[in-house]
Amino acid sequence: MAELDVELPPEVPQAHLVLIDPSEFRPEHRDVQLFRNYIDSPLQERVERTYRAMHTGQTVQFVQDRLAHWGKFDHARLSMLQVIKALDNLVDEADPDTDLPNSMHAFQTAERIRERHPDKEWLILTGLIHDTGKILRLYGEEMWATVGDTYPVGCAPRNSIVFGKSSFSGNPDLSHPVYSTELGMYSRHCGLDALTMSWGHDEYLYRVLQHNGHKLPEAALSIIRYHSFYPWHSGGDYRDFHNPATDDEKLKWVQAFSQFDLYSKSEELPDVQALLPYYSGLIDKYLPSVLSW
Ligand SMILES: [Fe+2]
Ligand SMILES: [Fe+2]
């Protein structure tokens, strides 16, 4: 397997414990073999603990604090390929199954899309970069505020959230007079973009791109911002917030993308070094050469 040969500046953190993204091992569209290993192992307990910490800690105030902290974009100046390479520094010491470099997931996702949609360069590039927001973790963010399914804060949790409503029992927002209600701080059909999503790598990359500038279409931004919003795109919840004029289109793209965003060990691994010229070309076409993170 030819690994990605991209040079990193010495100040990029070398390693940090991270959990594999539980969002990407869902049974409905994941590598069944791998998923089985995952749920039968002690990892299941860790996943449950991660989600409990997320469901307890992700409050409206927490997300606002994170937005202010990460919204300074003062952690690093790195190219997209450097960030993809840096994600290989994220290792999960407790998980024997994650011997696949993180960068491989980026290229596998992109190559799957390229096979089906060779003409959609923007979608292929979206596949390559969609998880680069996980660099959050390398710069000290909590695991439960980096990976996992996302959902809006500021309103009551809906049924399809993983581990259910009981997992939120320690969350102070659930005794808040507004945030604890079904619509919470939102109005019916306010549109997805009016929601304050739980903090994680989706929202972060969306903001990084907005901040640095890009030439990607709106659909790419929707995929990046909502691909972990499983209770919506897979669970069918939160549709009362839909603004049909804008969100039906978002849903279509995020669902289409979801079938390419999977971990698989059964598939042949791409020779990323050989693919580099093609992907460097795509990056140059749509993104600044260096971005503030
Ligand atoms: Fe992701
Ligand atoms: Fe992914």
Side-chain angles (χ1 to χ4, degrees):
M1 159 172 67
E3 284 190 27
L4 183 58
D5 184 18
V6 171
E7 206 174 320
L8 290 180
E11 63 271 18
V12 171
Q14 279 310 294
H16 206 298
L17 186 70
V18 76
L19 181 69
I20 47 174
D21 190 341
S23 282
E24 299 185 346
F25 290 84
R26 290 175 150 257
E28 65 263 34
H29 62 145
R30 299 311 179 221
D31 185 311
V32 177
Q33 192 78 38
L34 181 54
F35 182 76
R36 248 190 231 116
N37 292 345
Y38 178 63
I39 55 171
D40 292 348
S41 73
L43 268 180
Q44 175 63 7
E45 203 186 298
R46 274 179 51 191
V47 168
E48 198 162 345
R49 235 186 300 131
T50 300
Y51 272 116
R52 187 168 283 277
M54 176 195 286
H55 297 160
T56 304
Q58 294 259 8
T59 60
V60 171
Q61 187 62 55
F62 173 81
V63 176
Q64 282 167 357
D65 291 348
R66 298 289 82 192
L67 286 168
H69 175 77
W70 292 104
K72 297 201 240 1
F73 306 102
D74 59 358
H75 290 84
R77 295 264 308 152
L78 296 169
S79 74
M80 204 42 102
L81 282 173
Q82 284 176 320
V83 172
I84 290 169
K85 179 66 185 171
L87 290 181
D88 284 345
N89 290 349
L90 292 170
V91 291
D92 190 352
E93 291 157 14
D95 176 24
D97 257 336
T98 51
D99 49 3
L100 215 58
N102 274 300
S103 58
M104 210 49 83
H105 173 62
F107 283 93
Q108 277 188 332
T109 306
E111 284 291 287
R112 273 185 214 114
I113 296 170
R114 192 179 174 192
E115 219 165 273
R116 286 278 300 279
H117 303 284
D119 54 319
K120 287 198 175 58
E121 286 189 326
W122 66 267
L123 189 58
I124 299 167
L125 180 61
T126 302
L128 184 76
I129 68 172
H130 74 284
D131 277 338
T132 52
K134 290 182 183 175
I135 190 109
L136 281 172
R137 181 69 176 142
L138 211 54
Y139 288 92
E141 186 54 275
E142 297 284 354
M143 190 162 70
W144 52 265
T146 304
V147 294
D149 294 5
T150 60
Y151 53 88
V153 297
C155 62
R158 303 280 168 92
N159 288 326
S160 66
I161 292 182
V162 63
F163 297 115
K165 293 183 179 178
S166 64
S167 170
F168 287 78
S169 58
N171 188 313
D173 280 2
L174 265 78
S175 32
H176 186 280
V178 176
Y179 303 160
S180 60
T181 63
E182 198 67 3
L183 290 178
M185 58 186 196
Y186 312 108
S187 54
R188 207 172 287 281
H189 305 304
C190 59
L192 236 55
D193 290 345
L195 304 176
T196 301
M197 298 299 294
S198 58
W199 182 247
H201 69 278
D202 298 43
E203 183 70 23
Y204 178 55
L205 180 59
Y206 168 75
R207 289 185 183 244
V208 165
L209 293 174
Q210 296 294 70
H211 175 75
N212 287 279
H214 63 84
K215 297 194 181 82
L216 288 165
E218 197 54 41
L221 276 285
S222 300
I223 290 167
I224 286 163
R225 198 176 193 184
Y226 300 113
H227 71 272
S228 302
F229 190 6
Y230 279 84
W232 166 68
H233 67 71
S234 189
D237 273 332
Y238 297 103
R239 299 294 163 84
D240 46 343
F241 292 136
H242 255 219
N243 173 354
T246 52
D247 295 339
D248 288 353
E249 183 75 4
K250 283 189 179 67
L251 183 62
K252 187 189 87 182
W253 282 112
V254 176
Q255 285 179 336
F257 177 80
S258 186
Q259 58 183 300
F260 301 109
D261 182 15
L262 43 88
Y263 275 84
S264 171
K265 299 176 120 187
S266 45
E267 233 171 297
E268 209 179 305
L269 294 175
D271 180 348
V272 295
Q273 211 49 39
L275 293 171
L276 218 45
Y278 171 75
Y279 283 102
S280 298
L282 281 193
I283 290 170
D284 290 347
K285 192 165 170 183
Y286 289 95
L287 302 170
S289 54
V290 181
L291 301 95
S292 299
W293 297 85

